[in-house]
Amino acid sequence: MLITVRDNNVDQALRALKKKLQREGVYREMKLRRHYEKPSEKRARQHAAAVSRAKKADRKRAERDS
């Protein structure tokens, strides 16, 4: 990952870096790795995420059809 600092504007470069890290999911990954997660808890979390994605897709499909 490369962030260029223009005109010695470090604050702007930091904002760009944070935005790129957020987009790539680094913060989410760090949060997940902060504590050990049992395999059963991981499966349950992934299943819940899949269910919520499916529900969201159904809502979008229903909205588009009507």
Side-chain angles (χ1 to χ4, degrees), residues 2-40:
L2 181 68
I3 303 293
T4 56
V5 179
R6 296 185 190 130
D7 302 326
N8 286 332
N9 195 347
V10 178
D11 292 331
Q12 184 178 2
L14 271 175
R15 276 199 307 271
L17 174 66
K18 288 180 183 179
K19 189 179 281 189
K20 279 190 177 185
L21 291 174
Q22 180 77 28
R23 251 189 245 129
E24 295 203 4
V26 174
Y27 290 129
R28 189 180 321 116
E29 186 75 21
M30 285 171 44
K31 183 180 177 185
L32 287 174
R33 290 176 183 254
R34 195 167 291 155
H35 301 289
Y36 177 73
E37 185 178 26
K38 289 172 31 179
S40 60

Side-chain angles (χ1 to χ4, degrees), residues 39-53:
S40 60
E41 292 172 346
K42 184 176 180 180
R43 275 194 308 272
R45 179 178 50 79
Q46 289 175 340
H47 178 72
V51 167
S52 68
R53 280 194 309 272

